[in-house]
């Protein structure tokens, strides 16, 4: 049923788009239909930031390096310049 598929899609995204990558001060994130939280994690496994879907996020305070953006069950790496 359509309602069930939409409910599952809002909890478990199938595709994340983030840009720019590498990013300097701001990361734009889009994930169609996803209504959960986005989390930014370090290489050492620390959750550094969390923000609502549909918004970009300032990453100016992060040190340059490699990070991971997590949304539901998806994880996407990105580089902070």
């Amino acid at each position: 049923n359509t309602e069930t598929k939409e409910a599952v899609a809002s909890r478990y995204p199938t595709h994340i788009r983030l840009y720019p990558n590498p990013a300097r001060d701001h990361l734009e994130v889009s994930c169609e239909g996803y209504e959960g939280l986005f989390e930014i994690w370090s290489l050492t496994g620390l959750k550094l930031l969390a923000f609502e879907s549909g918004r970009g996020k300032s990453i100016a305070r992060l040190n340059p390096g490699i990070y991971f953006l997590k949304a539901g069950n998806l994880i996407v790496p990105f580089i902070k310049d």
Side-chain angles (χ1 to χ4, degrees), residues 6 10-11 13 16 19 21 23 51 56 61-62 64-65 71 80-81:
E6 289 174 2
S10 69
R11 291 183 55 209
I16 299 172
Y19 56 93
N21 189 11
F51 56 100
R61 72 177 190 95
L62 297 178
K80 172 24 170 118
D81 274 345

Side-chain angles (χ1 to χ4, degrees), residues 46-58:
L46 294 175
K47 183 167 67 170
L48 304 172
L49 299 170
F51 56 100
E52 294 179 9
S53 61
R55 296 185 176 173
K57 183 66 178 172
S58 172

Side-chain angles (χ1 to χ4, degrees), residues 12-79:
Y12 300 104
T14 58
H15 179 76
I16 299 172
R17 181 171 179 242
L18 59 88
Y19 56 93
N21 189 11
R24 184 174 302 259
D25 296 323
H26 193 80
L27 189 65
E28 289 292 331
V29 180
S30 66
C31 190
E32 188 175 326
Y34 180 64
E35 297 176 4
L37 284 177
F38 290 101
E39 300 171 342
I40 295 178
W41 292 75
S42 71
L43 281 174
T44 59
L46 294 175
K47 183 167 67 170
L48 304 172
L49 299 170
F51 56 100
E52 294 179 9
S53 61
R55 296 185 176 173
K57 183 66 178 172
S58 172
I59 58 168
R61 72 177 190 95
L62 297 178
N63 292 325
I66 299 171
Y67 295 89
F68 297 97
L69 178 78
K70 181 176 186 242
N73 58 346
L74 293 181
I75 299 172
V76 178
F78 71 94
I79 297 169

